[in-house]
Amino acid sequence: MQKQIIKKYYKFFRVKPKTRLDNYLRETLPIMYTRSIIQKIIRLGNVYINKNQMINKNYKLNKKDIIEIYNLYIKTPKFFLTSDNLKLNIIYEDEYLLIINKPFNSVVHPGTSNPKGTILNGLKFYFETLEKNKLKKPYLGNRIDKETSGLIIVVTDEKILKNISKQFTLNLIKKKYIALVNGKIEKKNITIYSNILRNRKTKYNMDISKLRGKVCISSFKVIEILKYITVLKCRLYTGRTHQIRVHLKKIGNPIFNDKKYGGDKILCDNIPLCKNKIINHIIKNSNFIALHANSLELIHPIFRKNIKYNSIIPYQIYLLIKIMSTL
C-alpha cells in the first residue's frame, strides 16, 4: 500500500454531544475515511478540539466543541479505480445524483480480492461516456451486502456526499426492505431496540448488552404468513452493518438462506419429508439471501425536494414466494 497525505481542512460546529470522537468523524467525514484511517488521523495529532490537539479517539464530545482537522492522512491502494463496461440498472439520474438497483451477488466497492467488476467500476465507465459527468468521480452514499439486492445512492461530488451522510445521521433518509424469514411471526408489528457490536473473530455482527456497541433501531411489519416462512416489510432507523439480519436472528426468525445468521435451518416441526427435501434443495442451491432494499426516500441535496423511488422485488424472491406458497 502506498502512503499519501491529502492536504484538506475540515471544521465542524454544533457537534453531537456525548458521542465518541472517532465515531462522530466516521459519521461526518466522506466515506473514503474508514474507522481505522480516522483513528490514525487522530493518533498523528491532526485533530484539534477548541484549538487543543486531541490524540484520544475515545474523547466524548461536548455540544460547544469545535473540531478542526488538518492534513488528513489516508492510505491509497496500489490499484486505481478501473473502468468496466457493466450493465447498470439506473432508477434515477441527474448530474448530481444516481439511484441504482443492485442485483444479488454484485460487489459495490472494489477491494484487494476484487479490484474489478464492482458497481463502482461500472459507474466509472458510465461516467466516462457522459459529457456532463466525464470528469467526475462516483461516490457511494450507502452500501448493501453483496448477497442482498436493492437501491443504493451514488453521488458525483464530495460536498454532495457529505450532505447525504448528514441526512443519514439525522434519519432523514428512509430505507425500506422486503425480507422473507424462516418460521411464522404472529405479531403484525415489531420494533427492536438493541446494541450491535462487530465480532472481530467471526467478522459477524452480534446483538449485545447496552454497555457496549451502537444502539440500533429496526421495525418490521408482517405482509404475508405462508406455511413455513413470513414475508416482512422492514424499516431501518439506524444504519449498522447487517442490522436487519442481526435483529431478525434476535427474534428467532432469521432471513431465509442467510447462512451467517442461521437462516439455512428450517424452524417448523413435522415437515413432510418430500417438502423438507425441496426446501433444503432451494437453500443449498441459492446464492442469495431473501432480502431486498425496495424503497428509498431522501431530500435531493441540490434541488432540496423530496424524492422517493421503489423497485420491484427480484425474480428470485418472487419465485421463492410462489414455491413456498404451494408447499
Side-chain angles (χ1 to χ4, degrees):
M1 303 284 278
Q2 295 176 341
K3 296 180 181 179
Q4 184 179 3
I5 296 291
I6 304 296
K7 293 188 177 181
K8 290 190 176 180
Y9 171 77
Y10 287 89
K11 190 171 185 177
F12 302 110
F13 300 90
R14 302 186 194 89
V15 300
K16 190 189 296 184
K18 298 183 180 179
T19 306
R20 215 171 75 176
L21 175 61
D22 59 342
N23 289 338
Y24 176 80
L25 294 180
R26 179 68 187 91
E27 293 175 359
T28 312
L29 287 171
I31 200 168
M32 63 180 175
Y33 296 105
T34 63
R35 185 180 299 277
S36 60
I37 289 173
I38 287 170
Q39 290 175 353
K40 188 151 194 171
I41 290 169
I42 297 170
R43 288 199 305 272
L44 288 170
N46 292 339
V47 178
Y48 288 76
I49 297 179
N50 304 325
K51 302 296 182 182
N52 296 314
Q53 190 179 55
M54 176 57 65
I55 58 173
N56 179 12
K57 67 177 182 180
N58 298 314
Y59 173 79
K60 294 293 180 65
L61 295 170
N62 297 307
K63 189 175 181 180
K64 294 183 179 180
D65 281 344
I66 298 174
I67 304 174
E68 294 176 281
I69 312 173
Y70 302 88
N71 293 345
L72 294 188
Y73 169 91
I74 65 169
K75 286 183 179 180
T76 55
K78 291 179 181 178
F79 57 86
F80 295 94
L81 184 62
T82 58
S83 301
D84 287 333
N85 188 2
L86 304 177
K87 186 177 180 180
L88 300 172
N89 186 1
I90 299 174
I91 304 295
Y92 171 85
E93 178 184 9
D94 59 45
E95 61 182 301
Y96 310 104
L97 177 73
L98 291 86
I99 296 176
I100 293 178
N101 192 21
K102 184 188 92 68
F104 290 118
N105 293 307
S106 61
V107 180
V108 174
H109 195 285
T112 306
S113 58
N114 48 357
K116 297 181 179 180
T118 71
I119 296 291
L120 269 184
N121 295 120
L123 282 164
K124 189 171 188 293
F125 178 88
Y126 181 69
F127 276 22
E128 288 170 354
T129 64
L130 299 176
E131 192 61 37
K132 61 183 179 182
N133 285 333
K134 194 170 185 178
L135 300 177
K136 292 187 177 180
K137 178 183 175 182
Y139 296 90
L140 293 173
N142 67 306
R143 303 180 189 184
I144 52 179
D145 300 331
K146 174 186 174 182
E147 307 91 339
T148 64
S149 61
L151 302 179
I152 57 175
I153 304 169
V154 179
V155 299
T156 60
D157 183 270
E158 278 192 41
K159 290 183 180 179
I160 300 174
L161 179 64
K162 188 176 177 181
N163 179 283
I164 295 296
S165 299
K166 193 70 173 177
Q167 287 192 53
F168 272 113
T169 302
L170 297 174
N171 197 28
L172 297 175
I173 295 179
K174 297 177 183 177
K175 293 192 298 180
K176 294 180 182 178
Y177 293 73
I178 296 292
L180 275 59
V181 301
N182 282 323
K184 296 182 180 181
I185 300 179
E186 302 296 341
K187 194 174 179 181
K188 290 187 176 180
N189 294 285
I190 302 171
T191 300
I192 300 178
Y193 300 80
S194 74
N195 286 37
I196 292 178
L197 181 69
R198 184 77 162 174
N199 187 323
R200 293 184 179 180
K201 291 183 179 180
T202 64
K203 295 185 179 179
Y204 298 169
N205 281 13
M206 57 184 182
D207 183 80
I208 52 142
S209 70
K210 293 182 179 180
L211 298 178
R212 300 167 65 202
K214 183 178 179 181
V215 177
C216 299
I217 308 170
S218 308
S219 67
F220 305 100
K221 182 180 180 180
V222 173
I223 298 175
E224 186 178 5
I225 301 175
L226 302 175
K227 200 165 186 180
Y228 306 117
I229 65 171
T230 302
V231 183
L232 296 177
K233 183 181 287 186
C234 317
R235 167 81 191 277
L236 285 180
Y237 296 91
T238 51
R240 190 68 164 171
T241 303
H242 295 182
Q243 180 176 319
I244 289 178
R245 298 165 71 177
V246 173
H247 279 174
L248 287 170
K249 180 186 178 182
K250 176 183 173 68
I251 65 174
N253 299 93
I255 297 171
F256 187 88
N257 199 38
D258 188 357
K259 297 176 178 63
K260 282 187 177 181
Y261 295 98
D264 56 341
K265 299 178 181 65
I266 306 303
L267 299 179
C268 300
D269 297 325
N270 303 320
I271 302 176
L273 182 60
C274 60
K275 294 183 179 180
N276 201 353
K277 284 184 177 180
I278 293 172
I279 296 171
N280 283 318
H281 178 78
I282 293 171
I283 291 173
K284 185 178 179 181
N285 292 279
S286 297
N287 59 353
F288 67 95
I289 67 172
L291 180 65
H292 174 67
N294 72 310
S295 179
L296 192 60
E297 185 176 353
L298 67 149
I299 302 169
H300 195 288
I302 303 298
F303 304 142
R304 303 297 180 185
K305 66 176 183 178
N306 231 48
I307 58 173
K308 181 179 180 180
Y309 285 89
N310 300 306
S311 66
I312 61 173
I313 61 173
Y315 175 74
Q316 295 94 322
I317 291 182
Y318 172 80
L319 187 61
L320 182 58
I321 293 173
K322 287 294 182 183
I323 293 172
M324 298 301 285
S325 62
T326 59
L327 293 178

